[in-house]
Amino acid sequence: MPVREKFLSAVDLETVPLIRTRMLVIGCGIAGLSAALAASRRGPVALATKSAFMESNTTYAQGGIAAALAEDDRIELHVRDTLEAGAGLCDEAAVRLMAEEGRIRCRELVEMGTPFDRIDGDLAFTREGGHSRRRILHADGDATGRAITATLLDRVSRTPNIHTLENHFAIDLLHHDGACFGALFLDTNYGRLLRVEASATVVATGGLGQVFRETTNPAVATGDGCALCYRAGATLEDMEFVQFHPTTLYLAGAPRFLISEAVRGEGAHLVNQAGERFMRRYSKAGELSPRDVVSQSIFKELNRTGESYVSLDLRHIDPALIGKRFPNIMSVCAEYGLDIRRDPIPVRPAVHYMMGGVRTDLDAKTDIGNLYAAGEVACTGIHGANRLASNSLLEGLVFGHRAGLADAPESTPAFPVNRLERNMPPKGARLDVEDVSRSLKALTWRNLGVYRNGIHLLETVETLKAWMRYVLAEQFQMRPGFEVQNMLTVAMTIAESALGRAESRGAHQRSDYPETSPDWARHSLTAIDKDAP
Ligand code: SIN
């Protein structure tokens, strides 16, 4: 029995307060907000997030959102660049759909009042790695995600059909016989449970960077959605493909703050400590190579020099442009004594984005009835083995919208509460959740990083199995305990998928299988073993 069913068994669901709605959306990044807005045209929506509404991966997105809107750009070029970055694993139909509908959705964002930056009144576009054109829209310089979130949230707040639930952690999906009926929440405002039953449920909970020690992701990115859907029986796809962002601030005591790829797009150089540009040694496209190539090149250079970080050098760029384009990066670096107009920024790669996730079709449908997934939590096949920069906000926007337009049964079916056994006594082991989390992050960072090998992957699987035996058996009552269970679950799916893929491709590099194999030009699929004890 999956772990949370044990928890549900211990809860008398009939006594838990109930909300019924047409659509439940879990998650408040660009995908969740877009889904809720689209769904609100067709009926009532409950929009839940485990933290505050501004707290999502989307809010922290800097570089921007890619869309073929510039005069010299075409859908075909956007599709081609995305497929090339994805190293043979992209689903072309999904990519094309994103590029086409993405233009429409981005125009809607403009109409809604998103303050995208402009030059002489026209939209301004920047460039990032792997893009053959300047096609990245940005807002407030380097605070694109925050501006989009604020715009969408403003619209949500003025939509009477959307009932918002802040600080509501989804403990588990209510599912039975291959269909989803909503979710059980822990309302952390008051420490009580809430049942939301819905005709359709959209999981849009974002990423899982917190599974790793070094990540650009905020504390909320604990992989909850993948774990929720996995426990409900949905298939996860391509979990081995975890993207490292090449340039995150590397200073003792500072957060692994993202230094946007757009900084290189505006001309910054990557240099070693001797001040030499090294990217051309490893890739013809230099600093603007796709992200996997830049991260791998940085590690090769660090191995060659024995140094522990490389630097981003902006000193040759007009200081006025730096101030205008990167006010946020400039002010965060200034907190640590760096003036980015004069001082090279010390950087290293850190975990940034999950290409894999819950398998969905072009309508964001999972393989569980009435259950949809959109945004980083989903795997539409768009990103393949390596995501092209700034395609993630676009994917969330397009597929969140599609999920929101999903058909839902006319009346909300009631969850068959009485199928559960009751009154299972809580176990109450003494468990230091913080210690489990720290140990997990150390393990994944050591063994699931940019370069992997079979021996360490096997060790990871065995270690996780041992930890999961007692951590997943625990009946937690608080969010950190539930989160650590989710983190272990998704770490295991990453480790198993990485062990299974005996080749190197995109963001998945195996030192024991350094070549890309035509036999592996296929997706990895993972689903819970329903017969496991
Ligand atoms: C960045 O600004 O470099 C991040 C953009 C992205 O992850 O696509």
Side-chain angles (χ1 to χ4, degrees):
M1 191 190 270
V3 59
R4 297 291 167 71
E5 284 196 25
K6 287 183 190 162
F7 174 85
L8 291 182
S9 306
V11 170
D12 187 348
L13 276 185
E14 265 163 331
T15 65
V16 174
L18 169 68
I19 293 178
R20 284 218 167 93
T21 185
R22 179 179 175 278
M23 185 167 277
L24 166 64
V25 179
I26 310 172
C28 65
I30 192 167
L33 296 175
S34 305
L37 286 169
S40 70
R41 300 182 201 162
R42 305 184 66 176
V45 180
L47 172 63
T49 178
K50 70 175 177 179
S51 179
F53 273 114
M54 279 306 280
E55 206 51 29
S56 69
N57 258 353
T58 298
T59 296
Y60 295 90
Q62 295 180 3
I65 181 162
L69 286 168
E71 244 167 52
D72 67 341
D73 204 359
R74 295 199 312 277
I75 299 271
E76 214 42 58
L77 294 176
H78 191 180
V79 170
R80 190 195 68 192
D81 293 347
T82 303
L83 296 180
E84 247 168 52
L89 271 199
C90 299
D91 174 340
E92 187 165 345
V95 173
R96 193 166 296 282
L97 191 146
M98 175 190 72
E100 282 167 0
E101 289 191 3
R103 296 212 305 196
I104 303 167
R105 301 279 90 81
C106 281
R107 286 197 187 104
E108 285 170 1
L109 280 184
V110 174
E111 278 156 24
M112 273 186 214
T114 310
F116 287 120
D117 296 330
R118 290 175 181 267
I119 298 175
D120 298 332
D122 295 330
L123 288 171
F125 298 93
T126 191
R127 203 169 155 191
E128 292 182 324
H131 288 275
S132 58
R133 292 287 186 279
R134 291 181 78 93
R135 71 163 63 96
I136 322 294
L137 290 164
H138 45 91
D140 296 335
D142 54 0
T144 313
R146 185 169 291 277
I148 293 176
T149 306
T151 305
L152 293 173
L153 266 178
D154 176 59
R155 186 58 69 101
V156 163
S157 70
R158 290 186 285 113
T159 306
N161 246 357
I162 303 179
H163 176 69
T164 54
L165 298 163
E166 222 169 15
N167 299 314
H168 279 65
F169 179 82
I171 294 172
D172 238 336
L173 296 173
L174 300 172
H175 63 96
H176 180 53
D177 248 358
C180 180
F181 297 80
L184 177 71
F185 289 91
L186 176 65
D187 168 0
T188 55
N189 297 300
Y190 299 102
R192 63 190 179 197
L193 296 173
L194 175 71
R195 194 160 40 120
V196 180
E197 291 190 1
S199 303
T201 299
V202 179
V203 173
T205 48
L208 48 72
Q210 286 298 324
V211 168
F212 294 80
R213 199 186 73 200
E214 310 282 326
T215 180
T216 60
N217 291 188
V220 290
T222 51
D224 304 318
C226 281
L228 286 175
C229 294
Y230 177 78
R231 282 195 297 272
T235 304
L236 305 187
E237 182 170 300
D238 291 346
M239 293 299 285
E240 63 274 38
F241 293 111
V242 178
Q243 183 168 70
F244 283 68
H245 195 290
T247 57
T248 62
L249 184 62
Y250 188 68
L251 277 178
R256 292 295 166 258
F257 175 71
L258 184 72
I259 310 294
S260 175
E261 197 153 322
V263 173
R264 276 174 284 134
E266 297 295 347
H269 298 158
L270 272 169
V271 295
N272 60 23
Q273 285 179 36
E276 297 160 348
R277 286 180 74 180
F278 58 83
M279 274 304 302
R280 297 254 172 194
R281 216 173 261 151
Y282 306 106
S283 166
K284 256 200 343 241
E287 276 88 351
L288 288 180
S289 305
R291 215 167 256 186
D292 55 341
V293 174
V294 181
S295 293
Q296 288 152 25
S297 304
I298 290 176
F299 277 111
K300 285 179 192 155
E301 183 66 5
L302 294 178
N303 270 343
R304 194 186 71 79
T305 58
E307 294 165 357
S308 55
Y309 62 88
V310 297
S311 298
L312 260 178
D313 192 344
L314 288 75
R315 286 177 295 184
H316 53 286
I317 302 176
D318 174 8
L321 176 71
I322 296 175
K324 185 156 172 253
R325 282 288 287 110
F326 306 114
N328 182 33
I329 294 175
M330 197 154 108
S331 99
V332 171
C333 288
E335 285 175 33
Y336 300 95
L338 292 176
D339 179 346
I340 66 172
R341 294 164 300 188
R342 285 201 315 255
D343 306 315
I345 313 170
V347 291
R348 260 180 84 103
V351 166
H352 183 58
Y353 188 84
M354 176 43 129
M355 266 79 69
V358 183
R359 182 170 66 164
T360 55
D361 67 11
L362 296 184
D363 292 319
K365 227 174 188 330
T366 71
D367 42 22
I368 300 293
N370 305 325
L371 179 63
Y372 298 78
E376 188 170 347
V377 70
C379 185
T380 55
I382 281 176
H383 308 304
N386 176 53
R387 175 176 65 89
L388 186 66
S390 288
N391 266 353
S392 48
L393 291 183
L394 192 68
E395 185 201 25
L397 184 68
V398 168
F399 287 91
H401 182 87
R402 289 192 145 239
L405 294 181
D407 284 328
E410 272 310 301
S411 62
T412 307
F415 179 62
V417 172
N418 55 9
R419 87 192 167 84
L420 295 166
E421 305 153 28
R422 299 282 161 69
N423 303 323
M424 204 166 143
K427 269 191 55 224
R430 277 169 304 160
L431 206 57
D432 181 342
V433 170
E434 191 45 45
D435 189 54
V436 176
S437 169
R438 261 197 310 270
S439 306
L440 170 65
K441 286 166 191 261
L443 179 72
T444 53
W445 189 246
R446 213 170 46 242
N447 292 350
L448 296 177
V450 167
Y451 289 102
R452 304 161 170 178
N453 69 63
I455 294 172
H456 289 146
L457 289 171
L458 196 58
E459 176 206 329
T460 309
V461 168
E462 292 305 323
T463 308
L464 288 171
K465 255 189 212 156
W467 293 347
M468 286 167 85
R469 228 169 270 136
Y470 57 92
V471 180
L472 265 55
E474 184 63 30
Q475 288 171 17
F476 291 107
Q477 309 292 327
M478 310 280 276
R479 184 177 131 186
F482 293 133
E483 285 177 334
V484 99
Q485 289 179 326
N486 288 344
M487 287 158 67
L488 285 171
T489 301
V490 294
M492 181 62 116
T493 64
I494 297 169
E496 283 181 335
S497 305
L499 183 60
R501 184 174 285 277
E503 66 156 356
S504 290
R505 183 186 294 271
H508 172 69
Q509 295 293 312
R510 293 256 319 235
S511 51
D512 47 350
Y513 291 99
E515 304 300 327
T516 301
S517 159
D519 298 344
W520 273 103
R522 57 187 157 94
H523 299 290
S524 320
L525 303 177
T526 313
I528 202 160
D529 177 0
K530 294 195 181 87
D531 300 324

